[in-house]
Amino acid sequence: MINNLFLCIKNIYVRAILIWIIGILLSFVTKSALLSMMTMFYTGILPFILVVLWLSNSETGMKLRSQTKKWHIGITISWFVFIYGIYARKWASSQINEIFLIDASNLGITYNTLSLLFTPFGLIYNESVVPFLFNLLVYVAVLGAMIMPFLIVASKSTFKIISYCFVMVLLLSSFMGGIASLSFNKDLLIKQFALWADFDSNHLCTDEWARSTESVVFLGGDKVLVYQPENQKNSQFSVKTCNFEKVF
């Protein structure tokens, strides 16, 4: 079984997913903003990595890749990318507005990064999709348990079958755990990334609230979005009026 596990880990698709799962676990254990940013970025490109690996290594993928050279397929792909970009930016804008209650353009780096993350977070790691995938995993496991006795009787390599089933259940369980963690902690990851990417601890505001403020984002004019970690969880972000009276 150990040999089968090592062979499974050598699979390029499995290794890509294992890196993703390890990144998620380390992000929540260490609570590092930089590690969370790296995990979010890898999360965003993981579906594309798997697609590229499939197109590059599978016979079907190579055939599809050769078909993209035809002009009508190229035009179709271009339109798909255009429509995808619109929906991705719309989703990213609504996520930022829902969390920070400001226009998404004020958090430029976070806005562009979330647009990239539309495929995984908006479609795959969605809170409504996770229960369906979990139920599907349960049904597959039950079905596998029902047909296992017949496979054991029909096959001489009983131990090999059991080993592969164990490895598959282990990987699928880890994958589902990673999806659940991302979907239910999505807002926290977005906040951590925004604090690292768009918020700045240097400002010229001299108001009373500035003493308990860790970082700010300038919204235009004299308005700023402030982050005050000592406040209650639901009131750590708020819009304030900044008084620029600092003397150089």
Side-chain angles (χ1 to χ4, degrees):
M1 184 169 66
I2 296 177
N3 291 332
N4 292 331
L5 180 60
F6 281 120
L7 288 175
C8 188
I9 292 176
K10 287 183 179 180
N11 185 290
I12 191 170
Y13 303 101
V14 174
R15 279 186 289 176
I17 295 175
L18 284 178
I19 293 173
W20 173 70
I21 294 174
I22 292 172
I24 294 172
L25 294 176
L26 290 177
S27 296
F28 288 112
V29 171
T30 63
K31 296 182 180 179
S32 169
L34 178 60
L35 189 57
S36 297
M37 180 273 297
M38 295 173 63
T39 302
M40 287 186 67
F41 180 77
Y42 187 76
T43 298
I45 64 175
L46 179 58
F48 304 105
I49 290 177
L50 295 177
V51 170
V52 170
L53 291 176
W54 179 73
L55 290 173
S56 303
N57 296 282
S58 68
E59 183 177 349
T60 304
M62 292 179 181
K63 291 180 180 179
L64 290 175
R65 190 174 58 186
S66 65
Q67 292 296 318
T68 58
K69 297 178 181 179
K70 297 181 179 180
W71 68 269
H72 59 281
I73 296 180
I75 292 176
T76 303
I77 293 175
S78 300
W79 274 104
F80 172 79
V81 172
F82 174 73
I83 295 173
Y84 172 85
I86 293 176
Y87 276 98
R89 296 183 74 83
K90 180 180 181 299
W91 175 82
S93 179
S94 64
Q95 293 297 311
I96 291 177
N97 184 264
E98 182 179 337
I99 295 173
F100 300 102
L101 301 178
I102 62 172
D103 187 88
S105 61
N106 293 294
L107 300 177
I109 301 176
T110 304
Y111 181 32
N112 291 325
T113 304
L114 284 181
S115 297
L116 171 66
L117 297 178
F118 170 64
T119 295
F121 279 115
L123 300 178
I124 302 175
Y125 313 139
N126 194 288
E127 292 91 337
S128 60
V129 176
V130 170
F132 170 77
L133 293 177
F134 179 78
N135 292 332
L136 182 62
L137 176 62
V138 172
Y139 291 141
V140 171
V142 171
L143 180 62
M146 292 174 61
I147 66 175
M148 181 65 69
F150 300 99
L151 293 175
I152 293 175
V153 173
S155 176
K156 296 180 180 179
S157 55
T158 304
F159 186 74
K160 187 176 182 180
I161 294 175
I162 296 176
S163 300
Y164 277 120
C165 291
F166 174 79
V167 172
M168 288 302 299
V169 170
L170 179 63
L171 290 176
L172 287 174
S173 299
S174 300
F175 184 71
M176 286 301 303
I179 289 179
S181 297
L182 281 173
S183 61
F184 295 118
N185 293 277
K186 176 183 61 180
D187 290 354
L188 176 61
L189 286 173
I190 293 175
K191 288 178 182 179
Q192 289 178 338
F193 179 79
L195 288 170
W196 177 85
D198 288 300
F199 280 76
D200 197 338
S201 59
N202 298 316
H203 57 85
L204 300 178
C205 303
T206 58
D207 305 85
E208 185 67 25
W209 53 261
R211 298 179 181 178
S212 59
T213 297
E214 182 176 299
S215 54
V216 304
V217 170
F218 292 94
L219 304 178
D222 59 352
K223 299 296 182 182
V224 291
L225 176 67
V226 305
Y227 171 60
Q228 298 171 309
E230 297 180 358
N231 291 359
Q232 295 182 356
K233 187 175 181 180
N234 295 329
S235 59
Q236 291 179 333
F237 296 92
S238 58
V239 177
K240 303 286 187 182
T241 300
C242 179
N243 184 17
F244 300 97
E245 292 183 352
K246 188 173 182 178
V247 178
F248 292 90

